[in-house]
Amino acid sequence: MISFECDYNNGAHPEVLKRLIETNNEQTLCYDKDCYTKSAKDKIKLACDDDQADVFFLTSGTQTNATVISSLLKSYEGVIAINSGHINVHESGAVEYTGHKVIAIEGKNGKMEAKALRSYMEDFTANYNDGHSVYPGMVYISLPTELGTIYNAKELELLYNVCREYDLILYVDGARLGYGMMSQECDITLPFLSKHCDVFYIGGTKQGALCGEAVVFTHNNAPKNFIAIQKQHGALLAKGRLIGIQFDTLFTDNLYFDLSRHAINMAMKMKKMFAEKGYKFFIDSPTNQQFIIINNDEVERISQKVIFTHWGPADQNNTICRFVTSWATTEESLKELEKIWE
Amino acid sequence: MISFECDYNNGAHPEVLKRLIETNNEQTLCYDKDCYTKSAKDKIKLACDDDQADVFFLTSGTQTNATVISSLLKSYEGVIAINSGHINVHESGAVEYTGHKVIAIEGKNGKMEAKALRSYMEDFTANYNDGHSVYPGMVYISLPTELGTIYNAKELELLYNVCREYDLILYVDGARLGYGMMSQECDITLPFLSKHCDVFYIGGTKQGALCGEAVVFTHNNAPKNFIAIQKQHGALLAKGRLIGIQFDTLFTDNLYFDLSRHAINMAMKMKKMFAEKGYKFFIDSPTNQQFIIINNDEVERISQKVIFTHWGPADQNNTICRFVTSWATTEESLKELEKIWE
Amino acid sequence: MISFECDYNNGAHPEVLKRLIETNNEQTLCYDKDCYTKSAKDKIKLACDDDQADVFFLTSGTQTNATVISSLLKSYEGVIAINSGHINVHESGAVEYTGHKVIAIEGKNGKMEAKALRSYMEDFTANYNDGHSVYPGMVYISLPTELGTIYNAKELELLYNVCREYDLILYVDGARLGYGMMSQECDITLPFLSKHCDVFYIGGTKQGALCGEAVVFTHNNAPKNFIAIQKQHGALLAKGRLIGIQFDTLFTDNLYFDLSRHAINMAMKMKKMFAEKGYKFFIDSPTNQQFIIINNDEVERISQKVIFTHWGPADQNNTICRFVTSWATTEESLKELEKIWE
Amino acid sequence: MISFECDYNNGAHPEVLKRLIETNNEQTLCYDKDCYTKSAKDKIKLACDDDQADVFFLTSGTQTNATVISSLLKSYEGVIAINSGHINVHESGAVEYTGHKVIAIEGKNGKMEAKALRSYMEDFTANYNDGHSVYPGMVYISLPTELGTIYNAKELELLYNVCREYDLILYVDGARLGYGMMSQECDITLPFLSKHCDVFYIGGTKQGALCGEAVVFTHNNAPKNFIAIQKQHGALLAKGRLIGIQFDTLFTDNLYFDLSRHAINMAMKMKKMFAEKGYKFFIDSPTNQQFIIINNDEVERISQKVIFTHWGPADQNNTICRFVTSWATTEESLKELEKIWE
C-alpha cells in the first residue's frame, strides 16, 4: 500500500547510504572527533555563510529540542511557543522534563506573530515580572510550521527584533527546514536565518538521513561544554560519524536542497490534484505537508488504499487528513494516489 | 595508523549494512511500529527463552542507562554501583540529571560482590532507613565490567539473591554483553541472565551495529507506557526501523555471538602476544578489553604507530594502556601491532 | 496605612502564638515525631471524619503543590489546571521544575467545569493517546479559586466522577480552604471533600498560622515514604513542631473555621459597602477576596490611603482591584476603608 | 526525660519569641519585602563587614543547600563534598534531585583537606576533563563539620586558594555556624569567612530560631532573580517576616553569638565530665556536638534516662553516642545527665 503518512517512513537517500558503505571499513575517532563530523560542520558553516557558527549533531528532533532549550535557559525561565508548537503538544513533555515551562500563546496559521509576542511580553513586564511567574527566556518557532506554513523574511525579522528588544533567545526548529526553504514562497535562506535567530537546527531525519539533526548556534553563543551537555542528555553517539557522514553527504553538491525541492515539487502536484478534484484545504500550505478536508465516509474508503494521517476532525462529517511528500516520493506513487479516485 | 582504541571506531558489520540497503526503499511504519522492530523483538525474546520479556530499542548506552534507571526508580531512590561503574564516572552525570543519586560502593576487580552489597544494605537498614538518606532502589552492574572482567553464574545468582532479599531491582549494563558471554570463562547465557536480573540491555553500538541498544525487561516488569518515557527522554527514533533492522540482523543465524566470539579470539591472541613479550597486565581480563602496563617512554614511542587508550597511571614510570579488539579486528591488524616491536 | 492587600500580611492568631509560647521550653522529638504533630494529625482526621486519611505538614503553598503533585504523577504525566490556576501562573514554574507539564484548559468563573474536563479527556483519548503527548494524570483545582469563587458540592462531585472515569487523581489546593467553606454559599464540608477528592491541603499560612499547610491524602493513598519525599524537596522542617502546634491549635474548638467565618463576615460587609457606593465587581465572589472595578484616577488617589492589589486592567480606564479580608481584619479597618470615600 | 539528642528540639530563644509577639499585629509587606527582613539583611551584612554581600532567607538547611547549589552550578557540573558531608548522606538526595552529582572524596576528621581537593582536581584535569565526566563546579564544606570539628583560618584559606585556582565556587554550610565560631579553637570570624568563600549560610534553626537560614553571597555574586529561584524551589515564605524578625533579633546586640557561646560552654563542661569518667571520644570536637564511645550494655541502660543519638557502631561492643548541647541547654540538665552515673 502506498503511504503519504509522513516524511520519515523511508530509509536514507541512496547517496547517503553509499557514503556510509564507502566509509564503513575506516577506523575513525569517536563521538565528535572524526573527520566526517568535522567536514560536515565546515560545510554547514559555509552554507550558512557564518564564520561564527558552532555546529553540533544530535540524533532526533525531540532530543534536540529538549537539549538545546534546557542548555540555554536559566532554571527559572520558560520557552514561549504557540499552542500548536511541536514542543507543546507532540514531545511527551520532554522540555518540561528538563524543568522548564512551555509558555503557550495563540498562533495564527501555525505561526507566531511578532505583535502577539510583543503583546505577551508587554503584559508580562507590566503584570508578572515579580519573581512569582516563569520568566520567558526563549522563543520557539518551527520553520516550516507544524501546519506546513512558512514565515517570510520580513516576519522572521520582526519576530527577531521583538526577541532582541526583550532579551529573548530565538530558536528555530528546522526539522523540515529544507522543505520550508525550497517552498516557492520562501525568501529565507540559510545565511539569512543565521543572521536572524540565535540557534536553529537543520533536520536530517525527515530530509534524507537515517537519523540526525544539525544544531547551529549562530554567533559564538554555544553553551560552554555543549558536548558534555549532549552526553548528559543521552544525546551523543559513540559513533558520531554516523551522523557526520550523513550531513557531510547532504551538504555536498547541494544535495540537501535538491532533495527538498523534489519533495516540494511532488507536494505541489499533489496539492493541485486534490484541488482539481474539488477538495478544500484546512490550511494553504506551500510545503510538503498538505492538509485536506475529506468526508468521513471517503476517509474510511481510501484508508484501504493509502496510508495518511488523521489530523483531527474538521467538523462532524469531515476529517482533516494530512498527506506528506518527501525526498523519496515518486511520480509513480502520485499516480497511484490519483488512481484511487478513478 | 592501526587502532585498538575502542570497539566503536568502525562502521557496522557488512551483513548489518547489507540489510539496511536491502530494506532502504521500503516504506514502513514509524517509531516502534515497523515489522523489523517487531521481528527483532521476537528474536531477542526467543534468544532469551523468555516469553515474559519486553524488548525496547534505544540509541546509545548512556541514554539507555539514564532512561531505564529513572523509569524504574521512585523519586527518592538511588542506584547502587561500584566506584568504577560507568554510570558513576563516564556518563557526565546523566543519571543524576534525572534526579537520582548513584550510590557508589567499593568493587573488586571491577565487580560488585554480593557480600559487599549485603553489607551496604545491612548498614543502610540499621542506620539510614529513616527517610533522611537516599533509599537504594536498584543495583547497577556491567557485564562484562568496565575493566573487562566478568561475573560467573554463581556470582550473579548470589547478587540477585541479595537484591531480591532487599527488594532491589537488578539492572545489567550489557554494552559489551556478547564480548562477555563469548569469553571462554563465562558460564552466563542469555536465558540464564533473563532469569537472574530484572532488566538488562544488549549492546549494539560496540557489537557490530551503527548504533542501538536493546533493553530487555525480563518478567512483565516494563514500566507502563515505556514508549512515552523514551520519547520524553529524547530516546525514541522516528525511524525506529534503523535499530530494528540492525538487531533483526544481529539476531539472525547467531550473528551477534559469532561476531563476539571473533573479537574474543582476537583479544586472546593479543593478550598472548603481550604476555610473551613480558608485559604485565593491570588486571586479568578474559574479554575484548586488555589492560597492559607499559613504560612511559615506550608508551610515547608506540603511540606514533598505534592508537590505544591511556587508562591512567600505573605508577610514576608506567601507564595502564587499554587495547581493545572488536568484531572488526583483523588478523592483519594484530600482525601490524606485533610488528611495532620487531 | 491600612492594608487589604492579602491574607498573609499579619502574624499569627493570638491563640496560635500563645500555644507556641506555652510549649516553647519543652524538648520534643524532631521532624514529624513530636506529640503536637501527632495530635494535629488526629484532630484533622477527625474533622475530616476520615479514618483512612494520612496527614502531612509542609511549610508553604507552592512547596506543597510541587511536592504533592510530583509525588503522585508518573514521570510522563502532567497535571490539568485551568489557565488561571495558581500552579499555572503564580508559582514560578515550580511544578515544571519537578519535570511535569501543567496542562492548561479554559476555566469559567475561575473554576474547572466537569464538561470541559470531559471534553479535554475525550479529545486526548481520541487523538493524543499514543505516547507522543503528555498523559494527563491529575486534575488540580483550588477551593476557593484564585478569583474567590467556590465549587458547590454538586460541581465537585461531577468533576470527581470524570476524574475517576479517566483514572485521574483529583487534587484540591485549599490555601484558603476555610474561607471557602465558611462562605454562605458553600455546601462542601471537610468530610464531603475527603470523600470527593484524592488529596487536598488545608491552608495555614493564609488562615491564621505563621506558616504551614496540612496535606490530606484521603484514602490510604499517600505515596510510600512521603517523609523522604518531603526531605528531598526541602519541605521537611527539623522543628516540625512549629507547624504541628499551630494546626493542633487551629483544629481545637473549631478555631480554624471560626477565624474563617470572621473573615467572610468582614468580606461581605466590605462587598456591601462597595456595592452601595455603586462599584461594579469583576466577578461575584462569596469569599474573602473581592475584585472591584475602579477608575484609574481613583485607583491612584486611594492608593495613598490603603494597600490593595492591582489585579490587572479591566479596560483602558479602569482597573480590577483586589481587596482581601482575613482572620485578622477588624471592624475598625473596615471603617477606615469606608472613610476614604467620605 | 532529659535530651541531648540534637540542637533543634527546643522552641525558640525567648527574645526571638518576644519579638514575634511584639510585631504580631503589624501588617507588613510579604515575601522578602517587609521592614524586618530588610533590617535583618543589613545587620548581617554589617556583621560580615561586607558591603558587597547579598542576603536571602530560606526555611531549612536541606532546602538551602539544594537551592543554593543548583542556583550556582551549570547543568553538567557537580559539587565536591567529603564522604560524610551532609548533602552526601543525610539529605535524601535533595541535591541530586535538582540534577547535580555530589562528588564524594575522602575527608579527614570530618574536614576536606586542601591537598586532597588539589589532588582530585589534578586527576580530573589530567584524566577526566573530556566532557564524559561530571565537571566539578563547586566545593561544599560544613563549618563546623558533621563531626563537630572546625576548620581554622589557615585551612580555609588554603582550601579557597585551590578553589580559585580551579575556578570552583566555595560554599560553606553553616547550619551551626555560631557554634563553630564560638569554639575556643576557632579563629574564623564572619568577616574572614566572607572574604574566604563565595557563599555560606548562617544557620537559624539549630541556633535559637523556630526556623530559618540566612544565605550570604559574598561578593555581588548572587544569581540573578534569586527570589524567583527560591519560589520555584518552594523555598520562599509568604510571611517572610517570620524569618526576617528572627534573624533581626538574633543579630541585635550580638545575641546570635552569645547563644552560641553558651552552648559551647555547656558542651565543654559535658566533654570534661565524660573525660573525667574515663570515656573515650570518637573524635576530638571543640563544638557543641560530642561523640562518646560507650559500651553497648551501658548504652541500653542510660537510654532509659537520657535521649541521645546512636551515631553508629564503634566496634562490636561499643557504640558512638552523640550528645549535643544548644543555646537552650541548662546547667540543670547537665547535672541531671551527670546524676545518671551516680
Side-chain angles (χ1 to χ4, degrees):
Chain A
M1 185 153 54
I2 52 169
S3 169
F4 289 84
E5 187 192 12
C6 63
D7 35 20
Y8 42 97
N9 53 5
N10 273 78
H13 184 265
E15 189 65 26
V16 167
L17 215 51
K18 179 164 156 266
R19 287 297 291 151
L20 285 174
I21 297 162
E22 290 172 355
T23 59
N24 191 53
N25 288 331
E26 297 175 21
Q27 283 187 311
T28 61
L29 295 175
C30 305
Y31 304 107
D32 67 331
K33 300 273 187 286
D34 68 281
C35 58
Y36 301 106
T37 294
K38 284 186 202 306
S39 169
K41 289 184 178 194
D42 288 343
K43 287 178 181 169
I44 287 172
K45 287 168 68 168
L46 197 66
C48 294
D49 191 22
D50 187 349
D51 275 351
Q52 301 209 310
D54 282 301
V55 182
F56 297 91
F57 295 112
L58 285 83
T59 313
S60 68
T62 295
Q63 182 189 87
T64 301
N65 286 336
T67 305
V68 170
I69 291 170
S70 65
S71 78
L72 289 167
L73 289 181
K74 298 197 181 66
S75 68
Y76 54 89
E77 292 178 335
V79 53
I80 303 174
I82 61 166
N83 281 320
S84 58
H86 205 258
I87 56 169
N88 193 44
V89 282
H90 282 112
E91 300 191 354
S92 303
V95 169
E96 288 89 350
Y97 186 69
T98 70
H100 300 282
K101 188 180 190 71
V102 177
I103 303 165
I105 66 174
E106 285 293 316
K108 190 167 173 188
N109 291 326
K111 295 189 276 185
M112 187 185 295
E113 294 185 299
K115 71 176 180 188
L117 177 61
R118 178 183 298 284
S119 167
Y120 176 82
M121 289 308 299
E122 285 173 352
D123 184 38
F124 176 83
T125 307
N127 300 310
Y128 296 99
N129 190 13
D130 60 356
H132 293 252
S133 295
V134 174
Y135 284 87
M138 184 186 277
V139 167
Y140 165 95
I141 62 170
S142 303
L143 180 64
T145 71
E146 293 77 8
L147 294 178
T149 54
I150 54 170
Y151 292 82
N152 63 35
K154 188 68 196 166
E155 289 169 332
L156 181 63
E157 197 174 354
L158 286 171
L159 206 56
Y160 195 38
N161 287 346
V162 179
C163 288
R164 283 187 294 196
E165 186 179 339
Y166 286 100
D167 206 16
L168 297 164
I169 295 161
L170 179 58
Y171 171 45
V172 179
D173 179 334
R176 297 181 171 98
L177 192 62
Y179 300 144
M181 287 188 171
M182 287 304 103
S183 154
Q184 288 155 8
E185 296 182 10
C186 191
D187 55 356
I188 294 176
T189 62
L190 274 181
F192 184 89
L193 181 58
S194 275
K195 286 191 186 59
H196 291 85
C197 75
D198 300 296
V199 53
F200 65 97
Y201 83 84
I202 304 171
T205 302
K206 291 166 177 162
Q207 298 250 167
L210 288 167
C211 62
E213 325 295 323
V215 175
V216 183
F217 293 96
T218 60
H219 44 264
N220 283 333
N221 60 336
K224 205 179 154 190
N225 290 320
F226 192 72
I227 288 295
I229 294 172
Q230 284 189 239
K231 181 81 175 179
Q232 190 179 42
H233 281 261
L236 184 68
L237 286 190
K239 293 184 183 170
R241 67 195 261 173
L242 169 58
I243 305 180
I245 292 164
Q246 295 185 90
F247 270 95
D248 192 52
T249 308
L250 288 169
F251 277 82
T252 299
D253 295 337
N254 210 37
L255 180 60
Y256 187 80
F257 290 111
D258 287 348
L259 296 184
S260 301
R261 194 180 302 109
H262 171 76
I264 295 300
N265 291 343
M266 293 295 105
M268 293 305 104
K269 284 195 182 184
M270 183 176 72
K271 184 179 186 181
K272 196 171 159 224
M273 183 204 84
F274 277 114
E276 287 173 356
K277 291 190 187 312
Y279 287 98
K280 291 271 187 307
F281 294 84
F282 171 63
I283 196 164
D284 183 24
S285 159
T287 66
N288 72 317
Q289 300 184 82
Q290 295 295 323
F291 299 84
I292 298 110
I293 294 173
I294 305 182
N295 180 277
N296 293 346
D297 294 341
E298 188 170 10
V299 166
E300 200 167 325
R301 187 177 63 80
I302 65 173
S303 290
Q304 310 304 316
K305 302 185 177 168
V306 56
I307 305 175
F308 56 94
T309 304
H310 299 203
W311 197 253
D315 56 38
Q316 273 199 311
N317 301 317
N318 296 282
T319 298
I320 304 165
C321 301
R322 189 184 71 162
F323 286 75
V324 185
T325 66
S326 79
W327 56 274
T329 303
T330 59
E331 298 275 1
E332 287 68 38
S333 61
L334 281 184
K335 279 178 195 152
E336 280 194 62
L337 179 63
E338 192 150 20
K339 273 190 203 155
I340 294 175
W341 282 270
E342 285 174 4
Chain B
M1 186 153 54
I2 53 169
S3 170
F4 290 84
E5 187 192 12
C6 63
D7 35 19
Y8 43 96
N9 52 5
N10 273 79
H13 185 266
E15 189 64 25
V16 166
L17 215 50
K18 179 163 156 266
R19 287 296 291 150
L20 285 174
I21 298 162
E22 290 172 356
T23 58
N24 190 55
N25 289 329
E26 298 175 19
Q27 282 187 313
T28 60
L29 295 176
C30 303
Y31 304 106
D32 67 329
K33 300 272 187 287
D34 69 282
C35 57
Y36 300 105
T37 294
K38 285 187 201 306
S39 169
K41 289 184 178 194
D42 288 343
K43 286 178 181 170
I44 287 173
K45 288 169 68 168
L46 196 66
C48 294
D49 190 24
D50 187 349
D51 275 351
Q52 301 209 312
D54 282 301
V55 182
F56 296 91
F57 296 112
L58 285 82
T59 312
S60 69
T62 295
Q63 181 189 88
T64 301
N65 286 336
T67 306
V68 169
I69 291 171
S70 65
S71 78
L72 288 166
L73 289 181
K74 296 195 181 68
S75 69
Y76 55 89
E77 291 178 334
V79 53
I80 303 174
I82 62 167
N83 280 319
S84 59
H86 205 260
I87 56 169
N88 194 42
V89 281
H90 283 112
E91 301 192 351
S92 302
V95 169
E96 289 89 351
Y97 186 70
T98 69
H100 300 282
K101 189 180 190 70
V102 177
I103 303 166
I105 67 174
E106 284 294 315
K108 191 168 173 186
N109 291 327
K111 295 189 276 185
M112 188 185 294
E113 295 185 298
K115 72 175 178 189
L117 176 61
R118 176 183 299 284
S119 167
Y120 177 82
M121 289 309 299
E122 284 172 352
D123 184 39
F124 176 84
T125 307
N127 300 310
Y128 297 98
N129 190 12
D130 61 357
H132 293 254
S133 297
V134 174
Y135 285 88
M138 184 186 279
V139 167
Y140 165 95
I141 62 171
S142 303
L143 181 63
T145 71
E146 292 76 9
L147 294 177
T149 54
I150 54 170
Y151 292 82
N152 63 36
K154 188 68 195 167
E155 289 169 331
L156 182 64
E157 196 174 355
L158 285 172
L159 205 56
Y160 195 39
N161 286 346
V162 179
C163 289
R164 283 188 293 197
E165 187 179 337
Y166 286 99
D167 205 17
L168 298 163
I169 294 161
L170 180 57
Y171 170 46
V172 179
D173 179 334
R176 297 181 171 98
L177 192 63
Y179 299 144
M181 286 188 172
M182 288 303 102
S183 154
Q184 287 154 11
E185 297 182 11
C186 192
D187 55 355
I188 294 176
T189 60
L190 275 181
F192 183 88
L193 181 59
S194 276
K195 286 192 184 61
H196 292 85
C197 75
D198 301 296
V199 53
F200 64 98
Y201 84 84
I202 304 170
T205 302
K206 291 166 177 161
Q207 299 250 166
L210 289 167
C211 63
E213 325 295 323
V215 175
V216 183
F217 295 95
T218 61
H219 44 265
N220 282 333
N221 60 336
K224 202 179 155 191
N225 289 320
F226 192 73
I227 288 294
I229 294 172
Q230 284 189 237
K231 180 82 176 178
Q232 189 179 42
H233 281 260
L236 183 67
L237 287 190
K239 293 184 184 170
R241 66 196 260 174
L242 169 59
I243 305 180
I245 291 164
Q246 294 185 90
F247 270 95
D248 192 52
T249 309
L250 288 169
F251 277 82
T252 298
D253 294 338
N254 210 37
L255 180 60
Y256 186 81
F257 290 111
D258 287 348
L259 297 184
S260 301
R261 194 181 300 110
H262 170 77
I264 296 301
N265 290 343
M266 294 295 104
M268 292 305 104
K269 285 194 180 183
M270 183 175 72
K271 184 180 186 179
K272 196 172 160 223
M273 184 203 83
F274 278 113
E276 286 173 357
K277 293 191 187 308
Y279 286 98
K280 293 270 187 307
F281 294 84
F282 171 64
I283 196 164
D284 184 25
S285 159
T287 63
N288 72 318
Q289 299 184 83
Q290 295 296 324
F291 299 83
I292 297 111
I293 295 173
I294 306 182
N295 179 278
N296 294 346
D297 293 340
E298 189 170 10
V299 165
E300 200 166 326
R301 187 177 62 82
I302 63 172
S303 291
Q304 311 303 318
K305 301 185 177 167
V306 56
I307 304 175
F308 56 94
T309 304
H310 299 203
W311 196 253
D315 56 39
Q316 273 199 309
N317 301 316
N318 296 282
T319 300
I320 304 165
C321 302
R322 189 184 71 161
F323 287 76
V324 185
T325 66
S326 78
W327 57 273
T329 304
T330 59
E331 298 274 1
E332 287 67 38
S333 60
L334 280 183
K335 278 178 195 152
E336 280 193 63
L337 179 63
E338 192 150 19
K339 273 191 204 155
I340 294 176
W341 283 269
E342 283 174 6
Chain C
M1 184 153 55
I2 52 170
S3 170
F4 289 85
E5 187 191 13
C6 62
D7 35 20
Y8 43 95
N9 52 6
N10 273 77
H13 185 266
E15 189 64 26
V16 167
L17 214 51
K18 178 162 157 267
R19 287 296 290 151
L20 285 175
I21 298 162
E22 288 172 355
T23 58
N24 190 54
N25 288 331
E26 297 175 20
Q27 283 188 309
T28 60
L29 295 176
C30 304
Y31 303 106
D32 67 330
K33 299 273 187 290
D34 69 281
C35 58
Y36 300 106
T37 294
K38 284 185 201 306
S39 169
K41 288 183 178 195
D42 288 344
K43 286 178 181 169
I44 288 172
K45 288 169 68 169
L46 197 66
C48 294
D49 191 22
D50 187 348
D51 274 350
Q52 302 208 310
D54 282 300
V55 182
F56 297 91
F57 296 111
L58 285 83
T59 312
S60 68
T62 295
Q63 181 188 88
T64 301
N65 286 336
T67 306
V68 169
I69 291 170
S70 65
S71 77
L72 288 166
L73 289 182
K74 296 196 181 67
S75 69
Y76 54 89
E77 292 178 335
V79 52
I80 303 174
I82 61 166
N83 281 320
S84 58
H86 205 259
I87 57 169
N88 193 43
V89 281
H90 282 113
E91 301 192 354
S92 302
V95 169
E96 287 89 351
Y97 186 70
T98 70
H100 300 282
K101 189 180 189 68
V102 177
I103 303 165
I105 66 174
E106 284 293 316
K108 191 168 173 186
N109 291 327
K111 295 188 275 185
M112 187 184 294
E113 295 185 298
K115 70 176 178 187
L117 177 61
R118 178 183 298 283
S119 168
Y120 177 82
M121 289 308 299
E122 285 172 352
D123 184 39
F124 176 84
T125 306
N127 300 311
Y128 296 99
N129 190 13
D130 60 357
H132 293 252
S133 296
V134 175
Y135 285 87
M138 183 187 278
V139 167
Y140 165 95
I141 62 170
S142 303
L143 182 63
T145 72
E146 293 77 9
L147 294 178
T149 54
I150 54 170
Y151 292 81
N152 63 35
K154 188 67 194 168
E155 289 169 331
L156 182 64
E157 196 174 357
L158 286 172
L159 205 56
Y160 195 39
N161 287 346
V162 179
C163 289
R164 283 189 292 197
E165 186 179 337
Y166 286 99
D167 205 16
L168 298 164
I169 295 161
L170 180 57
Y171 171 45
V172 179
D173 179 335
R176 298 182 171 98
L177 192 64
Y179 300 144
M181 287 188 171
M182 287 304 103
S183 152
Q184 287 153 11
E185 296 182 11
C186 191
D187 54 356
I188 294 176
T189 61
L190 275 181
F192 183 89
L193 181 59
S194 275
K195 286 191 186 59
H196 292 84
C197 75
D198 300 297
V199 53
F200 64 97
Y201 84 83
I202 304 171
T205 301
K206 291 167 177 162
Q207 298 251 169
L210 289 167
C211 63
E213 325 295 322
V215 175
V216 183
F217 293 96
T218 60
H219 43 265
N220 282 334
N221 60 337
K224 203 178 154 190
N225 290 319
F226 192 74
I227 288 294
I229 294 172
Q230 285 189 236
K231 180 82 176 178
Q232 190 180 41
H233 281 260
L236 184 67
L237 287 190
K239 292 184 184 170
R241 67 196 260 174
L242 169 58
I243 305 180
I245 291 165
Q246 293 185 91
F247 270 96
D248 192 53
T249 308
L250 289 169
F251 278 82
T252 298
D253 295 339
N254 210 37
L255 179 61
Y256 187 80
F257 290 111
D258 287 348
L259 297 184
S260 301
R261 194 181 301 108
H262 169 77
I264 295 301
N265 290 342
M266 293 295 104
M268 292 306 105
K269 284 195 179 183
M270 183 175 72
K271 184 179 186 180
K272 196 171 160 224
M273 184 203 84
F274 278 113
E276 287 174 357
K277 292 190 187 311
Y279 287 98
K280 292 270 185 309
F281 294 84
F282 171 63
I283 196 164
D284 183 24
S285 159
T287 65
N288 71 318
Q289 298 184 83
Q290 295 296 323
F291 299 83
I292 297 108
I293 295 174
I294 306 183
N295 180 278
N296 293 346
D297 294 340
E298 188 170 10
V299 165
E300 200 167 325
R301 186 176 64 79
I302 64 173
S303 290
Q304 310 305 317
K305 301 186 176 166
V306 56
I307 304 175
F308 56 94
T309 304
H310 299 203
W311 196 253
D315 57 38
Q316 273 199 311
N317 301 316
N318 296 280
T319 298
I320 304 165
C321 301
R322 188 185 72 161
F323 286 76
V324 185
T325 66
S326 79
W327 56 272
T329 303
T330 59
E331 297 274 2
E332 287 67 37
S333 61
L334 281 184
K335 278 177 194 151
E336 280 193 64
L337 179 63
E338 192 151 18
K339 272 191 203 156
I340 294 175
W341 282 269
E342 282 172 6
Chain D
M1 186 153 53
I2 52 169
S3 169
F4 289 85
E5 187 192 13
C6 63
D7 35 20
Y8 41 96
N9 53 6
N10 273 78
H13 185 267
E15 189 64 26
V16 167
L17 214 51
K18 179 163 156 268
R19 287 297 291 150
L20 285 175
I21 298 162
E22 289 171 356
T23 59
N24 191 55
N25 288 331
E26 298 175 20
Q27 281 187 313
T28 60
L29 295 176
C30 303
Y31 304 107
D32 67 331
K33 300 273 187 287
D34 68 281
C35 57
Y36 301 105
T37 294
K38 284 186 201 305
S39 169
K41 288 184 178 195
D42 288 343
K43 287 178 181 169
I44 287 172
K45 287 169 69 169
L46 197 65
C48 294
D49 190 22
D50 187 349
D51 275 350
Q52 301 209 310
D54 282 301
V55 182
F56 296 91
F57 296 111
L58 285 82
T59 312
S60 69
T62 295
Q63 181 188 88
T64 301
N65 287 336
T67 306
V68 170
I69 291 170
S70 65
S71 77
L72 288 166
L73 290 181
K74 296 196 181 66
S75 70
Y76 55 89
E77 292 178 333
V79 53
I80 303 174
I82 61 167
N83 281 319
S84 58
H86 204 259
I87 56 169
N88 194 43
V89 281
H90 282 113
E91 301 192 353
S92 302
V95 169
E96 289 89 352
Y97 186 69
T98 69
H100 300 281
K101 188 179 190 70
V102 177
I103 303 165
I105 66 174
E106 283 295 314
K108 191 168 172 186
N109 291 327
K111 294 188 277 186
M112 187 185 296
E113 294 184 299
K115 70 176 178 187
L117 176 61
R118 178 183 298 284
S119 168
Y120 176 82
M121 289 308 298
E122 285 172 352
D123 184 38
F124 175 83
T125 307
N127 300 311
Y128 296 99
N129 189 12
D130 61 356
H132 294 252
S133 295
V134 174
Y135 285 88
M138 184 186 278
V139 167
Y140 165 96
I141 62 170
S142 303
L143 181 64
T145 71
E146 293 76 9
L147 293 178
T149 53
I150 54 171
Y151 292 82
N152 63 35
K154 188 69 194 166
E155 290 169 330
L156 182 63
E157 197 173 356
L158 286 172
L159 205 56
Y160 194 38
N161 287 346
V162 180
C163 288
R164 283 187 294 195
E165 187 178 338
Y166 286 98
D167 205 16
L168 297 163
I169 295 161
L170 180 57
Y171 170 45
V172 180
D173 179 334
R176 297 181 172 99
L177 193 63
Y179 300 144
M181 287 188 172
M182 287 304 103
S183 153
Q184 288 153 10
E185 296 183 11
C186 192
D187 55 356
I188 293 176
T189 61
L190 275 181
F192 183 89
L193 181 58
S194 275
K195 286 191 185 60
H196 293 84
C197 74
D198 300 296
V199 54
F200 64 97
Y201 83 83
I202 304 170
T205 302
K206 290 165 178 163
Q207 298 251 168
L210 289 168
C211 63
E213 325 295 321
V215 175
V216 183
F217 294 96
T218 61
H219 44 266
N220 281 334
N221 60 337
K224 205 179 152 189
N225 290 320
F226 192 73
I227 288 293
I229 294 171
Q230 284 189 238
K231 180 82 175 179
Q232 189 179 41
H233 281 261
L236 183 68
L237 286 190
K239 293 183 183 171
R241 68 195 260 174
L242 169 60
I243 304 180
I245 291 164
Q246 294 185 89
F247 270 95
D248 191 52
T249 308
L250 288 168
F251 277 81
T252 299
D253 296 337
N254 210 37
L255 179 60
Y256 187 80
F257 290 110
D258 287 347
L259 296 185
S260 301
R261 193 181 301 110
H262 170 77
I264 295 301
N265 290 344
M266 294 295 104
M268 292 306 104
K269 284 195 182 183
M270 182 174 73
K271 184 180 185 179
K272 196 171 160 224
M273 184 203 84
F274 277 113
E276 285 174 358
K277 292 191 188 309
Y279 287 97
K280 291 271 186 306
F281 294 84
F282 171 63
I283 195 162
D284 184 25
S285 159
T287 65
N288 72 318
Q289 299 184 82
Q290 296 296 324
F291 298 84
I292 298 109
I293 295 174
I294 305 183
N295 179 279
N296 294 346
D297 294 340
E298 188 170 10
V299 165
E300 201 167 326
R301 187 176 63 79
I302 64 173
S303 290
Q304 311 304 317
K305 301 186 176 166
V306 54
I307 304 175
F308 55 96
T309 305
H310 299 203
W311 196 254
D315 57 37
Q316 274 200 312
N317 301 316
N318 296 281
T319 298
I320 304 165
C321 301
R322 189 184 71 161
F323 286 76
V324 185
T325 66
S326 80
W327 57 273
T329 303
T330 59
E331 297 275 1
E332 288 67 37
S333 61
L334 280 183
K335 279 179 194 148
E336 280 193 64
L337 179 64
E338 193 152 18
K339 272 191 203 156
I340 294 175
W341 283 269
E342 283 171 5

